[in-house]
Amino acid sequence: MPHLAEGIDRFQREIFPAKAGLFARLATVHRPRTLFIGCSDARVVPELITQTDPGELFVIRTAGNLVPAHTPGADAVSAGVEYAVAVLGVRDVVVCGHSACGAMTALAEGHDLASAPAVAAWLRHADASLARTAAAGRQGDVAALVRENVDAQLANLATHPSVARALAAGDVRLHGWVFDIAAGSVEELDTTARPAVAA
Ligand SMILES: [Zn+2]
């Protein structure tokens, strides 16, 4: 991984000194305002898209930007959501889908995932997204599934007690975005019409 070592070297020589004051503050303070939940896809880089500095975004990235609905058991995603909302007190939560999403493409086009059983099982958290897309007569439409999936994951998010509490108190707002890789654009979806996620 020589290019990674070169990157670290360049960071230490050029980037870190230029932001020395910021990193000095961040050494003892972790107070992000936003929880950003995006896809693990290497092309969707939250800090690049939003031009944010270290310390600004608390980031959770999962395949298909999926947020499993709350269950009594703990998992990495629910722990991250709870920590960001209940402990760090983020004021905004973004679920960001994106164009050409491999996870959404596999689901929309019914790819055979027999060789990737963990992926297949994980993607079941998009069952409601698939159902919504089919109900809208858009079965097989990847772009439609990407959008429905953002909405469905926002609804899942609202089932987490920390989020439900913050929503009820008006302490947090939920946002649905779709990033277009080819255009570099971000569309904010209208989530206000959906009572389950409205602040
Ligand atoms: Zn993706």
Side-chain angles (χ1 to χ4, degrees):
M1 309 186 295
H3 66 294
L4 296 189
E6 286 165 20
I8 292 170
D9 185 51
R10 191 159 65 84
F11 170 73
Q12 291 176 337
R13 274 188 291 107
E14 300 173 18
I15 310 298
F16 185 82
K19 292 184 181 290
L22 173 64
F23 280 104
R25 273 199 312 283
L26 293 178
T28 55
V29 175
H30 183 210
R31 203 172 294 143
R33 300 271 303 176
T34 303
L35 166 60
F36 186 105
I37 301 174
C39 185
S40 300
D41 192 300
R43 300 165 295 178
V44 182
V45 183
E47 293 82 356
L48 185 67
I49 295 169
T50 59
Q51 286 295 289
T52 41
D53 270 326
E56 292 188 59
L57 297 183
F58 189 92
V59 176
I60 298 172
R61 292 173 72 174
T62 67
N65 44 272
L66 301 181
V67 183
H70 172 70
T71 61
D75 62 69
V77 177
S78 59
V81 167
E82 184 179 80
Y83 187 70
V85 174
V87 180
L88 297 176
V90 297
R91 304 304 305 244
D92 294 283
V93 182
V94 175
V95 172
C96 184
H98 67 100
S99 63
C101 181
M104 293 303 110
T105 302
L107 288 174
E109 298 181 353
H111 293 182
D112 179 6
L113 295 173
S115 63
V119 173
W122 172 252
L123 294 184
R124 295 296 306 273
H125 293 297
D127 280 355
S129 319
L130 275 173
R132 287 172 181 224
T133 310
R138 305 285 295 274
Q139 204 156 12
D141 182 334
V142 177
L145 179 58
V146 165
R147 298 165 67 91
E148 291 292 353
N149 183 55
V150 168
D151 264 345
Q153 302 313 315
L154 286 169
N156 282 353
L157 198 53
T159 67
H160 290 254
S162 57
V163 177
R165 209 161 32 237
L167 283 173
D171 288 340
V172 76
R173 292 185 307 162
L174 306 186
H175 311 269
W177 292 2
V178 175
F179 173 60
D180 186 304
I181 295 172
S185 58
V186 175
E187 179 190 1
E188 176 145 20
L189 304 182
D190 179 11
T191 55
T192 55
R194 299 182 188 276
V197 298

